[in-house]
Amino acid sequence: MINSIILSYITFVYFGSFMLYLFMMVNGRDIFGRLATIVTIVGFAVQTIAIVLRWMESYSLGIGHAPFSNLYESLIFFAWTVILLYLIMEWRTKNRTLGAFVTPLAFLALAYASFSPNVRSHIQPLIPALKSNWLISHVITCFFGYAAFGLSFGISIMYLLKRLDNDDRENLFLKLIPGKGVLDELNYQMVVIGFLMLTLGIITGSVWAHSAWGTYWSWDPKETWSLITWLIYASVLHSRMVRGWKGKKIAILCFIGFSCVLFTYFGVNYLAGLHSYAKS
Amino acid sequence: MMQAEWSNLLMGFDLQFDVIHAIRHLFVAGFLPFPAGSTRSKLYNIMTSSKTNKKSNALWRFFSSVKLTIVLLIILAIASIAGTLIPQQGQGAVQFAKSLSPEWFRFFSSLNLFDMYHSLWFRILLGFLGLNLIICSIDRFSGSWKRFSTIPRPDRAKPFELLPPEQTFFVQTKIENPVLSIGRILQKRYKRTQNKEAGHDRFFFGEKGGYSHFGVYLIHMSVLIILVGGLIGSFFGFEAYVNILEGGKIDTVTLRKGMSPLKLGFEVRCDKFTVDFYENGAPKEYRSDLTFFVNGKEAEKRSALVNHPIQFKGVTFYQASYGKLPGKKIRLKIAKQASKDDITTLLIEPGRPIQLPEKEGKFIVVDVKGDLMGLGAAVEVLIQPAQGEEMYFWVFQNPQIVRKRLPAPMARSPKFNASAFKPYTFFLDHLESAYYTGLQVNKDPGVNMVWIGCFMMVAGFFVTFFTSHRKIWVRVSEEESGTRISVAGTASKNPVGFQRELENLTNDLKDMVKSE
């Protein structure tokens, strides 16, 4: 199980990059930022290798399947998508401040996966219901959606912090956060990506459920909570595009939206339902 | 500095909105009040004047409000949350209902909270959302149509005000036939191109992506189609299940709603059920080989696997579960207490009376349990002696366990005494068990509509989020020492991407003019 050992070390790598991003924000030295990017990229590359190794290992065990089948694997993949989306964004914006708000998500997901006694890390064979080509498309779309909402969450926090900033205030941390208009725009982009991905995730899930359980929608708690999340972000889009809401209101709605994402991901495990294999 | 860097992102992603544009251009059409007297407000007044009679109708105003949409979305979200906390349908709901006081129970059941997603009020909420969608869409459609179809005059001066220097250039030659050269480039890249001469200037206009105004209607329509597909499914379809023993044949299934039986109109036989296991004992795959009979005649042979349902006459069969049923055949041994050698072995079927070895009467196996009270396999035997009273008792496959696990008085009770009918002792030698396959049996005539709706929704997202209506104007001005060419435009979304497009167009025109 070399892959899970590597993955548990990457927890610390992402923690390191979080600290470096934070140093950069606190003392404003660019060198920390550049180091943080390098550490994050290295961590991401090694994590990618570990995921591929895990995939290969499942085949050598004779139970080959994509590593998206239980809570452990989903947490690993969640961290991976968050870092991937963040790195793309850093590269596009040439700005590193979001790193301090997003790397903790990846670090916490990996820490939970690697060190919680409730999460089993060994490769399990797929139960018949999960043996479907829809597994890969369903999980990938859902988790890119979650990751985009995670980034939107980070940006919302930045927005709410930036509101504390003003000309009289000599706070480097707040000064380094980009302007409110840019944050609002970026937040909006992330919501659009997340909403599109979540919609695709719900649709692929429905198609799959239709062939596995006989019904495309059964009001299973996970389904229902993904719908709740969808409804929240749909109202974010409507309130912004039609009502013209911006800034603080949107940031707060995105905050609520991401809480729904987290509940869809973890909370429903405490409610009975059909997605039981995602619990451990 | 930082602002400029961040805006680089916008060029790459190509999906951002100019929110001001989105608000003013895309949806509002009379919804958000513009400052009175502004040209925009006049424009929108013209656009919406045909609907003033509708607008004055309070009901119409209520249903065309986006506030209502947001409120409905949030109410639906909260109701759905409640539905995941209160157990819905099935065992859980029954248990929860039992734990409530009578008043609360009456309250819960009057609101149908044990099956709220199928309740009238939940459907009314969905109906309101549908109505809201339809009326909002009708209310705004004419505005979108105008924005799509109106071709602005090519010789407008306004677009060229405050033109950035990247969008204009000067050449020291006279362009002989701008309609042929510049007009052709525009025709290649844009639709509905126009040109007009005004004094020393010649103006060109072109546009593309006008359809992006309709993406939002595609999305709204898709939601309606999905809702209608769901309704069709719930009115004209059914959800049922059936267990078929291997070798058995059924013509009736049990509806999940109300547990009532439903005749299929054809018969299904399970020829064979197979289950594969992984090394660790977890099931790997299960499969039912089914044969369908119409009017008693074999019509089709198919296999249902998990994730691979089969359809017959519009009814879909899903491999849902399986189990083992004991007791197709029972091997019983009957010993006379006196001699150990005098043992009779019988292979019997439950429910059929069997003669006792010396014709003292009959016995019947009346019940078969694969596992009775955690004590293992057992059969219940009814003795009908020629003389004397009938008696019932259980015969366990493993009597030692019964003696070990049960308290002595209970273990010695006649109900558990396989030697109760003297002089015989019964032994249960073997229970032959049979697999049964658990099939989910559904009919849903609305499902294709749901898929069409889903497809439309995704298409609508792409149109709404990733396309924009771009209008460009080009002005070719003859000046004393040469020609000045200016490029201007507006886009409904993605101003940064459009800015880049304008600069590219300017550069291409420059290259073309210079090479002539």
Side-chain angles (χ1 to χ4, degrees):
Chain A
M1 298 300 246
I2 184 79
N3 66 76
S4 26
I5 297 165
I6 300 174
L7 288 167
S8 63
Y9 281 118
I10 293 168
T11 314
F12 302 108
V13 176
Y14 287 153
F15 182 70
S17 55
F18 167 52
M19 294 314 281
L20 287 167
Y21 280 119
L22 214 57
F23 281 147
M24 176 202 76
M25 295 288 285
V26 172
N27 73 8
R29 299 253 299 274
D30 205 35
I31 176 77
F32 288 120
R34 256 179 277 161
L35 257 173
T37 306
I38 292 167
V39 171
T40 312
I41 290 174
V42 169
F44 178 74
V46 178
Q47 191 187 2
T48 313
I49 293 167
I51 291 175
V52 173
L53 277 179
R54 188 179 177 87
W55 202 329
M56 283 157 52
E57 197 173 316
S58 78
Y59 275 91
S60 68
L61 288 172
I63 46 174
H65 58 79
F68 306 138
S69 68
N70 57 15
L71 181 60
Y72 176 81
E73 291 174 347
S74 78
L75 284 164
I76 300 298
F77 188 61
F78 175 67
W80 189 85
T81 49
V82 164
I83 294 293
L84 176 64
L85 270 190
Y86 168 70
L87 283 175
I88 292 174
M89 192 158 194
E90 186 189 297
W91 171 58
R92 289 282 191 202
T93 57
K94 310 278 182 286
N95 188 301
R96 298 194 169 96
T97 48
L98 181 59
F101 297 86
V102 170
T103 45
L105 288 179
F107 153 68
L108 287 174
L110 280 184
Y112 182 40
S114 301
F115 305 115
S116 164
N118 303 326
V119 183
R120 278 173 293 168
S121 69
H122 60 263
I123 301 175
Q124 291 149 315
L126 283 185
I127 62 165
L130 288 179
K131 284 183 159 182
S132 168
N133 295 332
W134 291 104
L135 173 69
I136 293 180
S137 48
H138 177 56
V139 173
I140 288 182
T141 47
C142 284
F143 277 89
F144 269 100
Y146 289 2
F149 290 141
L151 259 66
S152 142
F153 168 74
I155 296 167
S156 299
I157 294 177
M158 289 167 84
Y159 186 93
L160 296 175
L161 283 175
K162 186 73 180 174
R163 278 168 50 85
L164 303 173
D165 188 27
N166 56 43
D167 290 341
D168 307 328
R169 219 176 163 135
E170 290 294 324
N171 186 323
L172 187 66
F173 188 91
L174 294 182
K175 287 273 180 286
L176 280 173
I177 296 177
K180 285 193 280 186
V182 178
L183 287 177
D184 195 47
E185 193 60 50
L186 275 176
N187 193 1
Y188 185 69
Q189 289 177 23
M190 285 301 123
V191 172
V192 167
I193 295 179
F195 192 65
L196 179 65
M197 284 297 167
L198 178 65
T199 309
L200 285 170
I202 293 175
I203 293 174
T204 50
S206 292
V207 175
W208 185 9
H210 181 66
S211 68
W213 300 332
T215 154
Y216 55 85
W217 194 264
S218 42
W219 294 104
D220 157 69
K222 201 157 197 117
E223 284 174 0
T224 312
W225 271 94
S226 69
L227 177 71
I228 293 162
T229 311
W230 192 86
L231 291 171
I232 299 281
Y233 282 105
S235 30
V236 171
L237 291 174
H238 281 86
S239 57
R240 178 169 168 134
M241 290 164 86
V242 190
R243 302 284 297 164
W245 284 17
K246 287 190 95 174
K248 185 183 159 197
K249 285 176 181 168
I250 295 289
I252 289 170
L253 275 177
C254 289
F255 216 88
I256 297 171
F258 191 64
S259 332
C260 288
V261 170
L262 289 181
F263 198 86
T264 311
Y265 192 176
F266 303 109
V268 290
N269 294 344
Y270 301 101
L271 308 166
L274 296 165
H275 274 82
S276 54
Y277 32 77
K279 282 181 200 174
S280 59
Chain B
M1 177 68 186
M2 199 163 269
Q3 291 272 351
E5 284 171 355
W6 278 74
S7 67
N8 283 341
L9 170 81
L10 312 183
M11 323 222 324
F13 271 49
D14 266 0
L15 50 83
Q16 54 295 136
F17 282 63
D18 177 352
V19 180
I20 304 301
H21 272 289
I23 296 162
R24 290 253 168 93
H25 275 271
L26 205 62
F27 295 100
V28 202
F31 184 70
L32 282 179
F34 284 98
S38 74
T39 48
R40 288 258 162 120
S41 98
K42 275 177 205 151
L43 180 67
Y44 282 108
N45 282 343
I46 295 161
M47 280 177 176
T48 54
S49 59
S50 62
K51 297 196 304 259
T52 38
N53 52 340
K54 277 189 218 155
K55 292 230 157 247
S56 56
N57 182 331
L59 203 65
W60 182 274
R61 267 209 311 272
F62 176 72
F63 276 110
S64 66
S65 135
V66 178
K67 236 185 239 169
L68 178 69
T69 317
I70 294 169
V71 168
L72 281 173
L73 290 178
I74 289 172
I75 291 178
L76 279 170
I78 292 170
S80 304
I81 292 174
T84 62
L85 300 177
I86 302 167
Q88 299 289 300
Q89 296 178 310
Q91 278 310 111
V94 174
Q95 263 179 15
F96 176 67
K98 278 182 188 160
S99 72
L100 293 170
S101 71
E103 297 80 40
W104 277 110
F105 177 75
R106 232 171 293 135
F107 172 75
F108 270 68
S109 58
S110 68
L111 286 176
N112 224 336
L113 291 182
F114 301 116
D115 187 15
M116 60 194 282
Y117 302 118
H118 304 98
S119 68
L120 189 64
W121 62 265
F122 197 79
R123 288 195 169 154
I124 287 175
L125 276 178
L126 287 177
F128 264 52
L129 186 71
L131 206 61
N132 182 227
L133 274 177
I134 294 171
I135 292 186
C136 266
S137 300
I138 295 173
D139 203 51
R140 284 133 217 268
F141 189 80
S142 65
S144 298
W145 179 257
K146 284 233 167 66
R147 263 165 273 135
F148 168 73
S149 59
T150 312
I151 302 177
R153 280 166 48 203
D155 57 332
R156 286 183 65 197
K158 198 149 187 289
F160 295 96
E161 288 168 9
L162 299 171
L163 202 67
E166 297 84 27
Q167 288 169 228
T168 177
F169 63 93
F170 181 79
V171 283
Q172 286 173 327
T173 50
K174 189 168 179 287
I175 296 175
E176 287 302 332
N177 195 343
V179 178
L180 242 154
S181 53
I182 291 170
R184 190 175 293 163
I185 279 199
L186 293 182
Q187 238 168 16
K188 260 187 220 156
R189 298 190 186 180
Y190 295 91
K191 284 171 193 144
R192 301 201 291 190
T193 48
Q194 312 253 314
N195 69 81
K196 190 171 183 182
E197 198 162 5
H200 291 294
D201 296 342
R202 181 165 283 276
F203 288 90
F204 294 88
F205 170 79
E207 62 164 16
K208 72 183 168 188
Y211 57 86
S212 105
H213 295 300
F214 302 115
V216 65
Y217 302 105
L218 205 59
I219 298 174
H220 288 174
M221 203 133 75
S222 74
V223 175
L224 289 174
I225 288 177
I226 291 171
L227 288 178
V228 171
L231 274 184
I232 290 177
S234 74
F235 283 129
F236 304 107
F238 61 79
E239 283 182 16
Y241 66 92
V242 66
N243 293 338
I244 316 178
L245 263 174
E246 203 174 26
K249 201 183 200 181
I250 56 99
D251 61 354
T252 312
V253 294
T254 309
L255 289 175
R256 293 219 177 261
K257 201 175 180 179
M259 297 295 157
S260 52
L262 176 85
K263 283 243 172 217
L264 286 173
F266 54 86
E267 290 171 303
V268 190
R269 190 177 69 200
C270 173
D271 299 325
K272 195 168 185 246
F273 176 81
T274 29
V275 51
D276 291 339
F277 296 95
Y278 290 108
E279 277 169 26
N280 70 359
K284 184 177 183 181
E285 188 64 271
Y286 23 114
R287 163 199 187 104
S288 307
D289 298 332
L290 304 177
T291 308
F292 296 91
F293 296 87
V294 180
N295 300 325
K297 272 187 213 146
E298 189 177 314
E300 213 176 327
K301 269 183 184 298
R302 303 276 296 278
S303 299
L305 283 85
V306 181
N307 270 311
H308 300 279
I310 52 178
Q311 228 179 20
F312 186 75
K313 284 186 178 275
V315 181
T316 316
F317 293 81
Y318 302 85
Q319 181 70 62
S321 63
Y322 71 94
K324 266 184 175 179
L325 268 191
K328 244 166 78 183
K329 288 261 167 68
I330 302 149
R331 202 158 67 226
L332 272 182
K333 286 188 173 173
I334 305 175
K336 258 191 165 176
Q337 268 162 338
S339 73
K340 286 258 174 184
D341 316 317
D342 199 0
I343 293 177
T344 319
T345 305
L346 294 165
L347 195 60
I348 55 176
E349 282 172 31
R352 188 172 294 175
I354 308 281
Q355 285 282 355
L356 282 163
E358 290 178 10
K359 316 252 181 331
E360 301 95 326
K362 288 176 184 166
F363 74 93
I364 307 170
V365 172
V366 288
D367 201 356
V368 182
K369 287 275 192 287
D371 187 18
L372 182 71
M373 293 156 39
L375 299 170
V379 293
E380 192 178 18
V381 175
L382 162 66
I383 309 267
Q384 298 172 314
Q387 291 141 5
E389 281 194 24
E390 289 188 348
M391 64 166 76
Y392 289 92
F393 54 83
W394 285 95
V395 181
F396 285 88
Q397 190 161 24
N398 193 346
Q400 279 87 351
I401 290 189
V402 183
R403 252 169 269 141
K404 244 185 259 169
R405 295 259 191 90
L406 285 186
M410 242 179 115
R412 262 186 264 122
S413 102
K415 283 236 77 170
F416 293 131
N417 187 358
S419 314
F421 183 68
K422 303 247 152 41
Y424 295 106
T425 301
F426 285 76
F427 300 97
L428 174 56
D429 197 39
H430 182 68
L431 264 186
E432 203 172 278
S433 58
Y435 273 117
Y436 68 86
T437 175
L439 299 174
Q440 169 89 5
V441 185
N442 285 3
K443 184 176 181 175
D444 190 344
V447 72
N448 284 330
M449 229 169 136
V450 172
W451 298 149
I452 291 170
C454 290
F455 183 79
M456 276 174 65
M457 183 180 282
V458 175
F461 280 162
F462 276 95
V463 174
T464 308
F465 293 135
F466 304 115
T467 68
S468 84
H469 188 188
R470 284 157 289 171
K471 300 176 188 167
I472 59 115
W473 285 267
V474 176
R475 183 176 61 194
V476 182
S477 320
E478 264 183 51
E479 292 175 8
E480 273 175 29
S481 54
T483 317
R484 171 160 293 279
I485 296 179
S486 312
V487 178
T490 61
S492 61
K493 274 167 255 166
N494 188 13
V496 184
F498 184 60
Q499 180 65 33
R500 201 175 37 181
E501 182 176 327
L502 287 177
E503 283 168 24
N504 286 342
L505 179 65
T506 317
N507 289 334
D508 292 349
L509 290 177
K510 198 189 283 177
D511 292 346
M512 186 210 68
V513 169
K514 285 195 171 150
S515 68
E516 268 190 1

